[in-house]
């Protein structure tokens, strides 16, 4: 499994071909959700763009009017940073400077939030148990794959965060 490590000022990881495919697909789906598929009623969109004033519909809508475009553009750019940083095809090394690493962290977080909503995960969900149960029911199911991707993204996010922060503490 891919682990980011710090090499000088960069966070570096070697990705297998299957990891590249999955990350490309996830990033492309986030971009699609935020462009062609953007629907304010979609629970994933609601999670990625929560109401700032849930009890005040008017002020929430006004705030959204002034901020949503920039926030959406930033999220698309962050997913784009993942796509730009990955090898075009096959396996390969990824080298991220500080800015790119932070964009990757935000993009991975958005992908995990989206996938968590689609999988109906809650704060109380223990993903390992969910995965075990799904494996017992049907090891080849889409849910098993999606839970595995969700877990992988969490592992990747933690690895990247440790590569960024670990270097800061060693200074």
């Amino acid at each position: 499994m891919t682990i980011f490590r710090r090499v000088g000022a960069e966070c570096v990881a070697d990705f297998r071909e299957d990891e590249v495919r999955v990350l490309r697909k996830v990033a492309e789906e986030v971009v699609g959700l935020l462009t062609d598929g953007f629907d304010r009623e979609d629970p994933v969109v609601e999670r990625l763009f929560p109401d700032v004033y849930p009890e005040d519909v008017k002020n929430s809508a006004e705030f959204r009017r002034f901020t949503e475009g920039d926030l959406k553009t930033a999220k698309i750019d962050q997913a784009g940073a993942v796509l730009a940083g990955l090898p075009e095809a096959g396996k390969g090394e990824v080298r991220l400077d500080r800015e790119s690493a932070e964009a990757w962290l935000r993009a991975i977080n958005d992908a995990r939030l989206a996938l968590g909503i689609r999988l109906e995960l809650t704060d109380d969900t223990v993903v390992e148990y969910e995965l075990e149960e799904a494996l017992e029911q049907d090891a080849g199911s889409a849910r098993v794959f999606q839970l595995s991707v969700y877990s992988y993204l969490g592992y990747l996010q933690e690895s990247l965060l440790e590569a960024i922060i670990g270097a800061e503490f060693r200074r």
Side-chain angles (χ1 to χ4, degrees), residues 4-171:
F4 275 98
R5 62 197 179 280
R6 190 67 174 230
V7 178
E10 295 179 313
C11 296
V12 180
D14 295 305
F15 286 91
R16 296 184 322 248
E17 184 176 353
D18 60 328
E19 292 173 307
V20 170
R21 272 197 317 270
V22 166
L23 287 172
R24 280 197 166 284
K25 179 74 172 155
V26 166
E28 288 166 356
E29 287 180 4
V30 169
V31 170
L33 176 74
L34 298 176
T35 54
D36 301 333
F38 193 78
D39 174 8
R40 257 331 246 111
E41 302 301 313
D42 184 334
V44 171
V45 172
E46 288 178 12
R47 181 67 176 103
L48 294 176
F49 300 90
D51 282 331
V52 176
Y53 309 109
E55 298 84 28
D56 189 341
V57 175
K58 183 181 175 200
N59 281 330
S60 240
E62 187 71 4
F63 184 83
R64 187 178 321 110
R65 185 169 71 90
F66 288 110
T67 61
E68 190 170 82
D70 289 341
L71 185 56
K72 191 187 320 179
T73 298
K75 289 180 179 298
I76 292 167
D77 289 348
Q78 290 155 9
V82 172
L83 293 169
L86 288 168
E88 286 296 317
K91 64 181 183 174
E93 183 181 73
V94 170
R95 300 181 81 82
L96 304 174
D97 61 18
R98 177 68 185 233
E99 184 179 333
S100 296
E102 290 176 1
W104 271 57
L105 279 176
R106 289 188 294 274
I108 293 169
N109 189 60
D110 286 345
R112 288 189 80 232
L113 287 172
L115 196 49
I117 292 294
R118 292 286 188 247
L119 290 167
E120 299 179 351
L121 304 179
T122 67
D123 291 340
D124 297 328
T125 302
V126 178
V127 177
E128 292 78 17
Y129 297 144
E130 262 319 288
L131 185 53
E132 281 179 29
E133 184 178 312
L135 280 166
E136 288 172 8
Q137 291 177 3
D138 181 2
S141 72
R143 184 165 181 82
V144 168
F145 178 74
Q146 292 166 339
L147 285 165
S148 297
V149 170
Y150 181 86
S151 293
Y152 170 72
L153 291 174
Y155 175 82
L156 189 64
Q157 186 177 32
E158 182 180 342
S159 165
L160 180 54
L161 187 59
E162 286 176 5
I164 294 170
I165 293 175
E168 306 251 331
F169 286 128
R170 289 189 289 271
R171 286 185 188 175

